[in-house]
Amino acid sequence: MTDSLKYSALLQLIDERSEAFRSSVAAAPSLDAPVPSCPGWTLFDLVQHLGTGQRWWAAIVAAGPAEAPPAKDAAEVPRDLEALLAWYSESNELLLSTLREAGPERECWAWWDAGVSPASSWGVARRRVHEVLVHTYDTQLAAGAVHPMPADVALDGVAEFLDTCNSTPAAWPHEAATIHYYATEGRSWLLTLDGTGAWPAPLTDDAAPASVSATGTAEQLLLFVWGRLTLSDLKIEGDRQVFEQLIAWVPEE
């Protein structure tokens, strides 16, 4: 794991970022407002998605080690703003209370279990921090008032994305390549792509030359890896095709 936060800090961040999420939803003109960064979704869809996700991961952590996740909650979600926000608050508190009870070491099912990030309540907490962080950006965009992300949280978000979404033992189907990510706040990461899979690590002085590199603020890099920004929003040096291949890649294990 390239960067990490303590478990207690992750739980606090879930709570803090969820409050920012609720505030941005409440400030939006309508629950029917489109979310520009999630094409085809309304603000209601986004709240439903995030709240259902909080409940689902609470059930996953509560179940402990398992070969498959439990079914998602199929209960109807209220469409009234006040009731919807209350439902989301309940969803978030269910996740937090489950994580508190479990502690950081409890193993559980996770879709990233073959990668770098652990399949544990700690790994779940870290993933949910950044899920809420990015979806708060989405809601703020829909509401027309985007606020800067906390830089330290965005930095960990880049590392977390590499540890989960860009970490796999599935063989890279193209010519071996290396990607360097540089955050202007002073942090950097390496992603190696070859026949052994895709593996992230901190970028060291003796690292192999990059096939391609991307430089931006932590927030810009995070929004890029999450698909909210494009290559044109960053400083790119090297073979841009590697990024295009990575974005299009669906690993088969």
Side-chain angles (χ1 to χ4, degrees):
M1 288 161 286
T2 55
D3 299 280
S4 60
L5 297 168
K6 292 183 178 179
Y7 193 63
S8 58
L10 292 172
L11 301 192
Q12 183 177 348
L13 283 169
I14 291 174
D15 198 28
E16 290 177 356
R17 292 298 92 200
S18 287
E19 178 57 37
F21 176 80
R22 287 190 297 265
S23 296
S24 59
V25 173
S30 167
L31 289 174
D32 294 324
V35 181
S37 47
C38 300
W41 280 24
T42 65
L43 200 56
F44 172 83
D45 295 328
L46 187 53
V47 179
Q48 181 181 43
H49 164 76
L50 190 56
T52 300
Q54 302 296 66
R55 290 170 183 258
W56 188 51
W57 282 103
I60 289 169
V61 172
E67 294 185 359
K72 291 188 177 182
D73 187 350
E76 186 174 354
V77 178
R79 287 188 168 271
D80 172 76
L81 176 60
E82 185 174 346
L84 179 66
L85 291 178
W87 171 83
Y88 176 77
S89 295
E90 292 170 2
S91 305
N92 197 59
E93 184 51 44
L94 176 61
L95 175 64
L96 286 171
S97 61
T98 303
L99 290 170
R100 291 187 194 104
E101 182 178 348
E105 303 299 330
R106 179 182 290 178
E107 295 181 354
C108 62
W109 175 89
W111 52 259
W112 59 82
D113 63 350
V116 172
S117 192
S120 67
S121 48
W122 184 90
V124 170
R126 191 181 184 209
R127 170 110 286 251
R128 298 315 292 174
V129 165
H130 301 300
E131 185 88 13
V132 179
L133 178 68
V134 173
H135 285 322
T136 298
Y137 165 84
D138 294 331
T139 59
Q140 291 175 347
L141 197 62
V146 176
H147 303 289
M149 293 179 180
D152 58 336
V153 185
L155 284 167
D156 185 71
V158 177
E160 192 277 339
F161 189 93
L162 297 177
D163 288 348
T164 52
C165 300
N166 285 159
S167 171
T168 176
W172 173 243
H174 306 287
E175 182 179 348
T178 56
I179 298 175
H180 294 180
Y181 294 90
Y182 297 100
T184 56
E185 291 85 352
R187 201 78 55 83
S188 54
W189 306 269
L190 163 71
L191 181 66
T192 301
L193 303 160
D194 59 25
T196 70
W199 302 112
L203 183 58
T204 59
D205 292 338
D206 60 352
S211 305
V212 64
S213 67
T215 302
T217 66
E219 180 173 337
Q220 287 174 324
L221 290 174
L222 179 63
L223 293 174
F224 169 68
V225 297
W226 275 78
R228 271 56 177 179
L229 296 181
T230 68
L231 291 170
S232 62
D233 296 303
L234 303 173
K235 178 184 177 183
I236 305 297
E237 296 181 305
D239 186 0
R240 299 169 69 95
Q241 185 182 23
V242 175
F243 273 125
E244 295 166 358
Q245 292 171 336
L246 180 61
I247 292 167
W249 184 35
V250 180
E252 296 182 5
E253 297 182 16

